[in-house]
PDB file of all heavy atoms in Angstrom:
ATOM      1  N   LEU A   1      63.317 -37.601  51.238  1.00 89.00           N
ATOM      2  CA  LEU A   1      64.708 -37.433  51.698  1.00 89.00           C
ATOM      3  C   LEU A   1      65.151 -38.421  52.700  1.00 89.00           C
ATOM      4  O   LEU A   1      66.199 -39.056  52.680  1.00 89.00           O
ATOM      5  CB  LEU A   1      64.930 -35.990  52.257  1.00 89.00           C
ATOM      6  CG  LEU A   1      66.312 -35.661  52.651  1.00 89.00           C
ATOM      7  CD1 LEU A   1      67.223 -35.751  51.462  1.00 89.00           C
ATOM      8  CD2 LEU A   1      66.337 -34.229  53.268  1.00 89.00           C
ATOM      9  N   LYS A   2      64.235 -38.741  53.675  1.00 89.00           N
ATOM     10  CA  LYS A   2      64.524 -39.743  54.644  1.00 89.00           C
ATOM     11  C   LYS A   2      64.725 -41.069  54.024  1.00 89.00           C
ATOM     12  O   LYS A   2      65.718 -41.858  54.387  1.00 89.00           O
ATOM     13  CB  LYS A   2      63.391 -39.851  55.662  1.00 89.00           C
ATOM     14  CG  LYS A   2      63.584 -40.778  56.917  1.00 89.00           C
ATOM     15  CD  LYS A   2      62.562 -40.641  57.791  1.00 89.00           C
ATOM     16  CE  LYS A   2      62.801 -41.530  59.093  1.00 89.00           C
ATOM     17  NZ  LYS A   2      61.761 -41.397  60.077  1.00 89.00           N
ATOM     18  N   LYS A   3      63.897 -41.504  53.076  1.00 87.00           N
ATOM     19  CA  LYS A   3      64.142 -42.794  52.407  1.00 87.00           C
ATOM     20  C   LYS A   3      65.376 -42.848  51.631  1.00 87.00           C
ATOM     21  O   LYS A   3      66.140 -43.799  51.559  1.00 87.00           O
ATOM     22  CB  LYS A   3      62.995 -43.064  51.437  1.00 87.00           C
ATOM     23  CG  LYS A   3      61.656 -43.407  52.171  1.00 87.00           C
ATOM     24  CD  LYS A   3      60.523 -43.601  51.164  1.00 87.00           C
ATOM     25  CE  LYS A   3      59.221 -43.950  52.019  1.00 87.00           C
ATOM     26  NZ  LYS A   3      58.091 -44.217  51.127  1.00 87.00           N
ATOM     27  N   LEU A   4      65.760 -41.667  50.906  1.00 88.00           N
ATOM     28  CA  LEU A   4      67.022 -41.604  50.240  1.00 88.00           C
ATOM     29  C   LEU A   4      68.246 -41.785  51.098  1.00 88.00           C
ATOM     30  O   LEU A   4      69.248 -42.457  50.776  1.00 88.00           O
ATOM     31  CB  LEU A   4      67.020 -40.353  49.376  1.00 88.00           C
ATOM     32  CG  LEU A   4      66.202 -40.256  48.115  1.00 88.00           C
ATOM     33  CD1 LEU A   4      66.155 -38.830  47.615  1.00 88.00           C
ATOM     34  CD2 LEU A   4      66.534 -41.313  47.071  1.00 88.00           C
ATOM     35  N   GLU A   5      68.156 -41.071  52.193  1.00 91.00           N
ATOM     36  CA  GLU A   5      69.234 -41.152  53.239  1.00 91.00           C
ATOM     37  C   GLU A   5      69.460 -42.608  53.732  1.00 91.00           C
ATOM     38  O   GLU A   5      70.470 -43.137  53.901  1.00 91.00           O
ATOM     39  CB  GLU A   5      69.057 -40.234  54.450  1.00 91.00           C
ATOM     40  CG  GLU A   5      69.236 -38.772  54.036  1.00 91.00           C
ATOM     41  CD  GLU A   5      68.797 -37.833  55.162  1.00 91.00           C
ATOM     42  OE1 GLU A   5      68.099 -38.240  56.084  1.00 91.00           O
ATOM     43  OE2 GLU A   5      69.143 -36.637  55.035  1.00 91.00           O
ATOM     44  N   TYR A   6      68.261 -43.323  53.899  1.00 89.00           N
ATOM     45  CA  TYR A   6      68.330 -44.712  54.305  1.00 89.00           C
ATOM     46  C   TYR A   6      68.898 -45.637  53.262  1.00 89.00           C
ATOM     47  O   TYR A   6      69.844 -46.408  53.547  1.00 89.00           O
ATOM     48  CB  TYR A   6      66.883 -45.232  54.735  1.00 89.00           C
ATOM     49  CG  TYR A   6      66.883 -46.704  55.020  1.00 89.00           C
ATOM     50  CD1 TYR A   6      67.406 -47.120  56.245  1.00 89.00           C
ATOM     51  CD2 TYR A   6      66.353 -47.575  54.251  1.00 89.00           C
ATOM     52  CE1 TYR A   6      67.437 -48.413  56.590  1.00 89.00           C
ATOM     53  CE2 TYR A   6      66.258 -48.945  54.517  1.00 89.00           C
ATOM     54  CZ  TYR A   6      66.887 -49.315  55.761  1.00 89.00           C
ATOM     55  OH  TYR A   6      66.816 -50.658  56.046  1.00 89.00           O
ATOM     56  N   LEU A   7      68.561 -45.347  52.078  1.00 87.00           N
ATOM     57  CA  LEU A   7      69.137 -46.183  50.948  1.00 87.00           C
ATOM     58  C   LEU A   7      70.651 -45.886  50.856  1.00 87.00           C
ATOM     59  O   LEU A   7      71.429 -46.770  50.506  1.00 87.00           O
ATOM     60  CB  LEU A   7      68.448 -45.899  49.627  1.00 87.00           C
ATOM     61  CG  LEU A   7      67.053 -46.327  49.511  1.00 87.00           C
ATOM     62  CD1 LEU A   7      66.367 -45.789  48.230  1.00 87.00           C
ATOM     63  CD2 LEU A   7      66.947 -47.847  49.531  1.00 87.00           C
ATOM     64  N   ASN A   8      71.037 -44.597  50.898  1.00 84.00           N
ATOM     65  CA  ASN A   8      72.438 -44.267  50.881  1.00 84.00           C
ATOM     66  C   ASN A   8      73.260 -44.910  52.009  1.00 84.00           C
ATOM     67  O   ASN A   8      74.344 -45.368  51.765  1.00 84.00           O
ATOM     68  CB  ASN A   8      72.585 -42.692  50.989  1.00 84.00           C
ATOM     69  CG  ASN A   8      74.009 -42.302  50.712  1.00 84.00           C
ATOM     70  OD1 ASN A   8      74.685 -42.892  49.936  1.00 84.00           O
ATOM     71  ND2 ASN A   8      74.342 -41.178  51.330  1.00 84.00           N
ATOM     72  N   LYS A   9      72.686 -44.982  53.156  1.00 85.00           N
ATOM     73  CA  LYS A   9      73.277 -45.643  54.347  1.00 85.00           C
ATOM     74  C   LYS A   9      73.488 -47.164  53.928  1.00 85.00           C
ATOM     75  O   LYS A   9      74.602 -47.643  54.220  1.00 85.00           O
ATOM     76  CB  LYS A   9      72.526 -45.538  55.555  1.00 85.00           C
ATOM     77  CG  LYS A   9      73.161 -46.145  56.780  1.00 85.00           C
ATOM     78  CD  LYS A   9      72.230 -45.916  58.004  1.00 85.00           C
ATOM     79  CE  LYS A   9      72.814 -46.686  59.197  1.00 85.00           C
ATOM     80  NZ  LYS A   9      71.928 -46.610  60.448  1.00 85.00           N
ATOM     81  N   LEU A  10      72.553 -47.799  53.469  1.00 81.00           N
ATOM     82  CA  LEU A  10      72.597 -49.253  53.060  1.00 81.00           C
ATOM     83  C   LEU A  10      73.781 -49.376  52.053  1.00 81.00           C
ATOM     84  O   LEU A  10      74.547 -50.286  52.074  1.00 81.00           O
ATOM     85  CB  LEU A  10      71.293 -49.725  52.530  1.00 81.00           C
ATOM     86  CG  LEU A  10      70.120 -49.932  53.503  1.00 81.00           C
ATOM     87  CD1 LEU A  10      68.872 -50.295  52.701  1.00 81.00           C
ATOM     88  CD2 LEU A  10      70.490 -50.943  54.576  1.00 81.00           C
ATOM     89  N   TYR A  11      73.779 -48.525  51.048  1.00 77.00           N
ATOM     90  CA  TYR A  11      74.838 -48.532  50.044  1.00 77.00           C
ATOM     91  C   TYR A  11      76.164 -48.436  50.580  1.00 77.00           C
ATOM     92  O   TYR A  11      77.096 -49.166  50.352  1.00 77.00           O
ATOM     93  CB  TYR A  11      74.492 -47.454  48.914  1.00 77.00           C
ATOM     94  CG  TYR A  11      75.664 -47.403  47.916  1.00 77.00           C
ATOM     95  CD1 TYR A  11      75.864 -48.374  46.993  1.00 77.00           C
ATOM     96  CD2 TYR A  11      76.562 -46.308  48.035  1.00 77.00           C
ATOM     97  CE1 TYR A  11      76.932 -48.200  46.068  1.00 77.00           C
ATOM     98  CE2 TYR A  11      77.605 -46.180  47.158  1.00 77.00           C
ATOM     99  CZ  TYR A  11      77.766 -47.119  46.142  1.00 77.00           C
ATOM    100  OH  TYR A  11      78.783 -47.039  45.298  1.00 77.00           O
ATOM    101  N   ARG A  12      76.423 -47.401  51.397  1.00 77.00           N
ATOM    102  CA  ARG A  12      77.707 -47.208  51.975  1.00 77.00           C
ATOM    103  C   ARG A  12      78.145 -48.344  52.913  1.00 77.00           C
ATOM    104  O   ARG A  12      79.433 -48.537  53.036  1.00 77.00           O
ATOM    105  CB  ARG A  12      77.740 -45.797  52.823  1.00 77.00           C
ATOM    106  CG  ARG A  12      77.799 -44.552  52.029  1.00 77.00           C
ATOM    107  CD  ARG A  12      78.005 -43.400  52.948  1.00 77.00           C
ATOM    108  NE  ARG A  12      77.365 -43.440  54.192  1.00 77.00           N
ATOM    109  CZ  ARG A  12      76.137 -42.789  54.439  1.00 77.00           C
ATOM    110  NH1 ARG A  12      75.636 -41.995  53.618  1.00 77.00           N
ATOM    111  NH2 ARG A  12      75.592 -42.900  55.607  1.00 77.00           N
ATOM    112  N   ASN A  13      77.263 -48.985  53.527  1.00 74.00           N
ATOM    113  CA  ASN A  13      77.588 -50.092  54.440  1.00 74.00           C
ATOM    114  C   ASN A  13      77.729 -51.458  53.625  1.00 74.00           C
ATOM    115  O   ASN A  13      77.986 -52.456  54.221  1.00 74.00           O
ATOM    116  CB  ASN A  13      76.515 -50.226  55.492  1.00 74.00           C
ATOM    117  CG  ASN A  13      76.596 -49.078  56.466  1.00 74.00           C
ATOM    118  OD1 ASN A  13      77.606 -48.561  56.677  1.00 74.00           O
ATOM    119  ND2 ASN A  13      75.491 -48.893  57.014  1.00 74.00           N
ATOM    120  N   GLY A  14      77.695 -51.377  52.329  1.00 69.00           N
ATOM    121  CA  GLY A  14      77.897 -52.553  51.424  1.00 69.00           C
ATOM    122  C   GLY A  14      76.807 -53.557  51.515  1.00 69.00           C
ATOM    123  O   GLY A  14      77.004 -54.711  51.143  1.00 69.00           O
ATOM    124  N   TYR A  15      75.544 -53.160  51.823  1.00 68.00           N
ATOM    125  CA  TYR A  15      74.457 -54.113  52.018  1.00 68.00           C
ATOM    126  C   TYR A  15      74.164 -54.805  50.638  1.00 68.00           C
ATOM    127  O   TYR A  15      73.906 -56.011  50.639  1.00 68.00           O
ATOM    128  CB  TYR A  15      73.232 -53.289  52.409  1.00 68.00           C
ATOM    129  CG  TYR A  15      71.999 -54.120  52.508  1.00 68.00           C
ATOM    130  CD1 TYR A  15      71.817 -54.957  53.618  1.00 68.00           C
ATOM    131  CD2 TYR A  15      70.996 -54.151  51.573  1.00 68.00           C
ATOM    132  CE1 TYR A  15      70.641 -55.773  53.738  1.00 68.00           C
ATOM    133  CE2 TYR A  15      69.896 -54.936  51.647  1.00 68.00           C
ATOM    134  CZ  TYR A  15      69.685 -55.818  52.704  1.00 68.00           C
ATOM    135  OH  TYR A  15      68.622 -56.612  52.833  1.00 68.00           O
ATOM    136  N   TRP A  16      74.308 -54.159  49.499  1.00 67.00           N
ATOM    137  CA  TRP A  16      74.024 -54.781  48.244  1.00 67.00           C
ATOM    138  C   TRP A  16      75.277 -55.414  47.601  1.00 67.00           C
ATOM    139  O   TRP A  16      75.206 -55.938  46.536  1.00 67.00           O
ATOM    140  CB  TRP A  16      73.414 -53.719  47.292  1.00 67.00           C
ATOM    141  CG  TRP A  16      72.003 -53.303  47.696  1.00 67.00           C
ATOM    142  CD1 TRP A  16      70.912 -54.146  47.768  1.00 67.00           C
ATOM    143  CD2 TRP A  16      71.628 -52.009  48.070  1.00 67.00           C
ATOM    144  NE1 TRP A  16      69.897 -53.393  48.108  1.00 67.00           N
ATOM    145  CE2 TRP A  16      70.228 -52.149  48.322  1.00 67.00           C
ATOM    146  CE3 TRP A  16      72.230 -50.821  48.213  1.00 67.00           C
ATOM    147  CZ2 TRP A  16      69.504 -50.978  48.744  1.00 67.00           C
ATOM    148  CZ3 TRP A  16      71.431 -49.675  48.519  1.00 67.00           C
ATOM    149  CH2 TRP A  16      70.078 -49.820  48.828  1.00 67.00           C
ATOM    150  N   GLY A  17      76.382 -55.194  48.230  1.00 62.00           N
ATOM    151  CA  GLY A  17      77.596 -55.755  47.630  1.00 62.00           C
ATOM    152  C   GLY A  17      77.980 -54.862  46.476  1.00 62.00           C
ATOM    153  O   GLY A  17      77.614 -53.692  46.266  1.00 62.00           O
ATOM    154  N   SER A  18      78.837 -55.405  45.623  1.00 61.00           N
ATOM    155  CA  SER A  18      79.344 -54.685  44.392  1.00 61.00           C
ATOM    156  C   SER A  18      78.982 -55.451  43.177  1.00 61.00           C
ATOM    157  O   SER A  18      79.363 -56.610  43.028  1.00 61.00           O
ATOM    158  CB  SER A  18      80.786 -54.423  44.511  1.00 61.00           C
ATOM    159  OG  SER A  18      81.242 -53.862  43.342  1.00 61.00           O
ATOM    160  N   GLU A  19      78.379 -54.834  42.200  1.00 63.00           N
ATOM    161  CA  GLU A  19      78.085 -55.392  40.957  1.00 63.00           C
ATOM    162  C   GLU A  19      78.952 -54.812  39.886  1.00 63.00           C
ATOM    163  O   GLU A  19      78.890 -55.187  38.707  1.00 63.00           O
ATOM    164  CB  GLU A  19      76.691 -55.353  40.647  1.00 63.00           C
ATOM    165  CG  GLU A  19      75.745 -56.045  41.540  1.00 63.00           C
ATOM    166  CD  GLU A  19      75.891 -57.506  41.531  1.00 63.00           C
ATOM    167  OE1 GLU A  19      76.101 -58.074  40.443  1.00 63.00           O
ATOM    168  OE2 GLU A  19      75.827 -58.122  42.588  1.00 63.00           O
ATOM    169  N   LEU A  20      79.694 -53.860  40.242  1.00 65.00           N
ATOM    170  CA  LEU A  20      80.536 -53.179  39.185  1.00 65.00           C
ATOM    171  C   LEU A  20      81.834 -54.011  38.957  1.00 65.00           C
ATOM    172  O   LEU A  20      82.632 -54.245  39.845  1.00 65.00           O
ATOM    173  CB  LEU A  20      80.985 -51.725  39.625  1.00 65.00           C
ATOM    174  CG  LEU A  20      79.720 -50.797  39.933  1.00 65.00           C
ATOM    175  CD1 LEU A  20      80.140 -49.544  40.463  1.00 65.00           C
ATOM    176  CD2 LEU A  20      78.922 -50.620  38.570  1.00 65.00           C
ATOM    177  N   PRO A  21      82.054 -54.426  37.696  1.00 63.00           N
ATOM    178  CA  PRO A  21      83.186 -55.240  37.339  1.00 63.00           C
ATOM    179  C   PRO A  21      84.468 -54.566  37.729  1.00 63.00           C
ATOM    180  O   PRO A  21      85.497 -55.149  37.996  1.00 63.00           O
ATOM    181  CB  PRO A  21      83.048 -55.541  35.905  1.00 63.00           C
ATOM    182  CG  PRO A  21      82.057 -54.590  35.377  1.00 63.00           C
ATOM    183  CD  PRO A  21      81.238 -54.177  36.472  1.00 63.00           C
ATOM    184  N   GLU A  22      84.615 -53.165  37.611  1.00 64.00           N
ATOM    185  CA  GLU A  22      85.782 -52.486  37.817  1.00 64.00           C
ATOM    186  C   GLU A  22      86.132 -52.460  39.279  1.00 64.00           C
ATOM    187  O   GLU A  22      87.214 -51.969  39.673  1.00 64.00           O
ATOM    188  CB  GLU A  22      85.795 -51.057  37.190  1.00 64.00           C
ATOM    189  CG  GLU A  22      84.677 -50.156  37.609  1.00 64.00           C
ATOM    190  CD  GLU A  22      83.366 -50.358  36.862  1.00 64.00           C
ATOM    191  OE1 GLU A  22      83.198 -51.318  36.051  1.00 64.00           O
ATOM    192  OE2 GLU A  22      82.452 -49.461  36.955  1.00 64.00           O
ATOM    193  N   ASP A  23      85.215 -52.908  40.205  1.00 68.00           N
ATOM    194  CA  ASP A  23      85.578 -53.015  41.506  1.00 68.00           C
ATOM    195  C   ASP A  23      86.488 -54.205  41.815  1.00 68.00           C
ATOM    196  O   ASP A  23      87.067 -54.267  42.925  1.00 68.00           O
ATOM    197  CB  ASP A  23      84.286 -53.075  42.355  1.00 68.00           C
ATOM    198  CG  ASP A  23      83.575 -51.865  42.562  1.00 68.00           C
ATOM    199  OD1 ASP A  23      84.176 -50.842  42.237  1.00 68.00           O
ATOM    200  OD2 ASP A  23      82.362 -51.839  42.977  1.00 68.00           O
ATOM    201  N   THR A  24      86.687 -55.060  40.843  1.00 69.00           N
ATOM    202  CA  THR A  24      87.634 -56.105  40.942  1.00 69.00           C
ATOM    203  C   THR A  24      88.976 -55.526  40.475  1.00 69.00           C
ATOM    204  O   THR A  24      89.180 -55.363  39.317  1.00 69.00           O
ATOM    205  CB  THR A  24      87.277 -57.240  39.995  1.00 69.00           C
ATOM    206  OG1 THR A  24      85.932 -57.641  40.269  1.00 69.00           O
ATOM    207  CG2 THR A  24      88.239 -58.515  40.062  1.00 69.00           C
ATOM    208  N   ARG A  25      89.772 -55.156  41.466  1.00 73.00           N
ATOM    209  CA  ARG A  25      91.009 -54.445  41.088  1.00 73.00           C
ATOM    210  C   ARG A  25      92.100 -54.966  42.096  1.00 73.00           C
ATOM    211  O   ARG A  25      91.844 -55.530  43.114  1.00 73.00           O
ATOM    212  CB  ARG A  25      90.879 -52.921  41.369  1.00 73.00           C
ATOM    213  CG  ARG A  25      90.469 -52.584  42.781  1.00 73.00           C
ATOM    214  CD  ARG A  25      90.188 -51.131  42.899  1.00 73.00           C
ATOM    215  NE  ARG A  25      91.192 -50.116  42.907  1.00 73.00           N
ATOM    216  CZ  ARG A  25      92.122 -50.042  43.777  1.00 73.00           C
ATOM    217  NH1 ARG A  25      92.383 -50.950  44.678  1.00 73.00           N
ATOM    218  NH2 ARG A  25      92.983 -49.035  43.793  1.00 73.00           N
ATOM    219  N   PRO A  26      93.352 -54.837  41.642  1.00 82.00           N
ATOM    220  CA  PRO A  26      94.509 -55.243  42.483  1.00 82.00           C
ATOM    221  C   PRO A  26      94.402 -54.484  43.805  1.00 82.00           C
ATOM    222  O   PRO A  26      94.187 -53.313  43.853  1.00 82.00           O
ATOM    223  CB  PRO A  26      95.721 -54.821  41.703  1.00 82.00           C
ATOM    224  CG  PRO A  26      95.232 -54.781  40.246  1.00 82.00           C
ATOM    225  CD  PRO A  26      93.769 -54.317  40.356  1.00 82.00           C
ATOM    226  N   LYS A  27      94.516 -55.199  44.916  1.00 78.00           N
ATOM    227  CA  LYS A  27      94.417 -54.643  46.230  1.00 78.00           C
ATOM    228  C   LYS A  27      95.549 -53.785  46.640  1.00 78.00           C
ATOM    229  O   LYS A  27      95.385 -52.795  47.338  1.00 78.00           O
ATOM    230  CB  LYS A  27      94.231 -55.766  47.232  1.00 78.00           C
ATOM    231  CG  LYS A  27      93.061 -56.651  46.960  1.00 78.00           C
ATOM    232  CD  LYS A  27      92.632 -57.455  48.184  1.00 78.00           C
ATOM    233  CE  LYS A  27      91.402 -58.421  47.856  1.00 78.00           C
ATOM    234  NZ  LYS A  27      90.571 -58.048  46.771  1.00 78.00           N
ATOM    235  N   LYS A  28      96.735 -54.001  46.105  1.00 84.00           N
ATOM    236  CA  LYS A  28      97.952 -53.180  46.436  1.00 84.00           C
ATOM    237  C   LYS A  28      98.128 -52.033  45.449  1.00 84.00           C
ATOM    238  O   LYS A  28      99.185 -51.451  45.490  1.00 84.00           O
ATOM    239  CB  LYS A  28      99.180 -54.090  46.522  1.00 84.00           C
ATOM    240  CG  LYS A  28      99.106 -55.174  47.515  1.00 84.00           C
ATOM    241  CD  LYS A  28     100.353 -55.968  47.523  1.00 84.00           C
ATOM    242  CE  LYS A  28     100.189 -57.068  48.605  1.00 84.00           C
ATOM    243  NZ  LYS A  28     101.425 -57.925  48.656  1.00 84.00           N
ATOM    244  N   LEU A  29      97.213 -51.762  44.701  1.00 84.00           N
ATOM    245  CA  LEU A  29      97.354 -50.660  43.682  1.00 84.00           C
ATOM    246  C   LEU A  29      96.907 -49.316  44.272  1.00 84.00           C
ATOM    247  O   LEU A  29      95.871 -49.122  44.778  1.00 84.00           O
ATOM    248  CB  LEU A  29      96.448 -50.977  42.463  1.00 84.00           C
ATOM    249  CG  LEU A  29      96.594 -50.022  41.237  1.00 84.00           C
ATOM    250  CD1 LEU A  29      98.001 -50.085  40.718  1.00 84.00           C
ATOM    251  CD2 LEU A  29      95.555 -50.482  40.150  1.00 84.00           C
ATOM    252  N   ASP A  30      97.920 -48.408  44.253  1.00 88.00           N
ATOM    253  CA  ASP A  30      97.746 -47.001  44.805  1.00 88.00           C
ATOM    254  C   ASP A  30      96.735 -46.338  43.908  1.00 88.00           C
ATOM    255  O   ASP A  30      97.026 -46.134  42.745  1.00 88.00           O
ATOM    256  CB  ASP A  30      99.066 -46.358  44.944  1.00 88.00           C
ATOM    257  CG  ASP A  30      98.911 -44.814  45.424  1.00 88.00           C
ATOM    258  OD1 ASP A  30      97.724 -44.466  45.721  1.00 88.00           O
ATOM    259  OD2 ASP A  30      99.957 -44.198  45.412  1.00 88.00           O
ATOM    260  N   PRO A  31      95.517 -45.952  44.412  1.00 85.00           N
ATOM    261  CA  PRO A  31      94.551 -45.271  43.657  1.00 85.00           C
ATOM    262  C   PRO A  31      94.977 -43.952  43.096  1.00 85.00           C
ATOM    263  O   PRO A  31      94.356 -43.380  42.189  1.00 85.00           O
ATOM    264  CB  PRO A  31      93.361 -45.172  44.593  1.00 85.00           C
ATOM    265  CG  PRO A  31      93.868 -45.300  45.956  1.00 85.00           C
ATOM    266  CD  PRO A  31      95.146 -46.134  45.860  1.00 85.00           C
ATOM    267  N   ASN A  32      96.035 -43.348  43.593  1.00 90.00           N
ATOM    268  CA  ASN A  32      96.568 -42.032  43.137  1.00 90.00           C
ATOM    269  C   ASN A  32      97.738 -42.218  42.263  1.00 90.00           C
ATOM    270  O   ASN A  32      98.390 -41.134  41.990  1.00 90.00           O
ATOM    271  CB  ASN A  32      96.850 -41.137  44.347  1.00 90.00           C
ATOM    272  CG  ASN A  32      95.699 -40.980  45.229  1.00 90.00           C
ATOM    273  OD1 ASN A  32      94.598 -40.605  44.691  1.00 90.00           O
ATOM    274  ND2 ASN A  32      95.798 -41.088  46.528  1.00 90.00           N
ATOM    275  N   SER A  33      98.064 -43.395  41.815  1.00 90.00           N
ATOM    276  CA  SER A  33      99.287 -43.549  41.028  1.00 90.00           C
ATOM    277  C   SER A  33      99.021 -43.613  39.493  1.00 90.00           C
ATOM    278  O   SER A  33      97.916 -43.809  39.072  1.00 90.00           O
ATOM    279  CB  SER A  33      99.863 -44.865  41.423  1.00 90.00           C
ATOM    280  OG  SER A  33      99.179 -45.947  40.942  1.00 90.00           O
ATOM    281  N   GLU A  34     100.082 -43.356  38.714  1.00 88.00           N
ATOM    282  CA  GLU A  34     100.017 -43.428  37.336  1.00 88.00           C
ATOM    283  C   GLU A  34      99.700 -44.942  36.868  1.00 88.00           C
ATOM    284  O   GLU A  34      98.963 -45.085  35.958  1.00 88.00           O
ATOM    285  CB  GLU A  34     101.391 -43.032  36.634  1.00 88.00           C
ATOM    286  CG  GLU A  34     101.290 -43.147  35.146  1.00 88.00           C
ATOM    287  CD  GLU A  34     102.651 -42.704  34.529  1.00 88.00           C
ATOM    288  OE1 GLU A  34     103.549 -42.293  35.246  1.00 88.00           O
ATOM    289  OE2 GLU A  34     102.755 -42.699  33.334  1.00 88.00           O
ATOM    290  N   GLU A  35     100.234 -45.824  37.687  1.00 87.00           N
ATOM    291  CA  GLU A  35      99.967 -47.310  37.436  1.00 87.00           C
ATOM    292  C   GLU A  35      98.442 -47.560  37.540  1.00 87.00           C
ATOM    293  O   GLU A  35      97.954 -48.325  36.732  1.00 87.00           O
ATOM    294  CB  GLU A  35     100.767 -48.070  38.440  1.00 87.00           C
ATOM    295  CG  GLU A  35     100.861 -49.508  38.176  1.00 87.00           C
ATOM    296  CD  GLU A  35     101.757 -50.230  39.134  1.00 87.00           C
ATOM    297  OE1 GLU A  35     101.705 -49.937  40.316  1.00 87.00           O
ATOM    298  OE2 GLU A  35     102.550 -51.094  38.642  1.00 87.00           O
ATOM    299  N   ASN A  36      97.831 -46.946  38.476  1.00 86.00           N
ATOM    300  CA  ASN A  36      96.329 -47.055  38.643  1.00 86.00           C
ATOM    301  C   ASN A  36      95.634 -46.563  37.378  1.00 86.00           C
ATOM    302  O   ASN A  36      94.725 -47.228  36.843  1.00 86.00           O
ATOM    303  CB  ASN A  36      95.835 -46.339  39.861  1.00 86.00           C
ATOM    304  CG  ASN A  36      94.361 -46.538  40.143  1.00 86.00           C
ATOM    305  OD1 ASN A  36      94.032 -47.627  40.465  1.00 86.00           O
ATOM    306  ND2 ASN A  36      93.632 -45.442  39.903  1.00 86.00           N
ATOM    307  N   ALA A  37      96.019 -45.486  36.871  1.00 87.00           N
ATOM    308  CA  ALA A  37      95.467 -44.866  35.738  1.00 87.00           C
ATOM    309  C   ALA A  37      95.621 -45.809  34.467  1.00 87.00           C
ATOM    310  O   ALA A  37      94.614 -45.973  33.734  1.00 87.00           O
ATOM    311  CB  ALA A  37      95.967 -43.463  35.373  1.00 87.00           C
TER     312      ALA A  37
END
């Protein structure tokens, strides 16, 4: 559990960056909008 919490902390802090292509998204796009969907 301690190791998992440490890994989660690294992930939340962006230590590994982002490898997900869908993270490349318009910066001004409201995530709650129909346009986002």
Side-chain angles (χ1 to χ4, degrees):
L1 183 57
K2 188 174 180 178
K3 288 179 181 182
L4 289 172
E5 287 171 347
Y6 176 72
L7 290 173
N8 188 32
K9 181 180 176 182
L10 290 175
Y11 171 75
R12 282 191 322 259
N13 290 330
Y15 179 77
W16 291 298
S18 173
E19 295 297 324
L20 299 174
E22 58 271 17
D23 285 346
T24 304
R25 62 187 282 302
K27 299 196 184 339
K28 295 181 180 180
L29 187 58
D30 176 2
N32 299 313
S33 67
E34 180 180 1
E35 194 173 43
N36 183 69

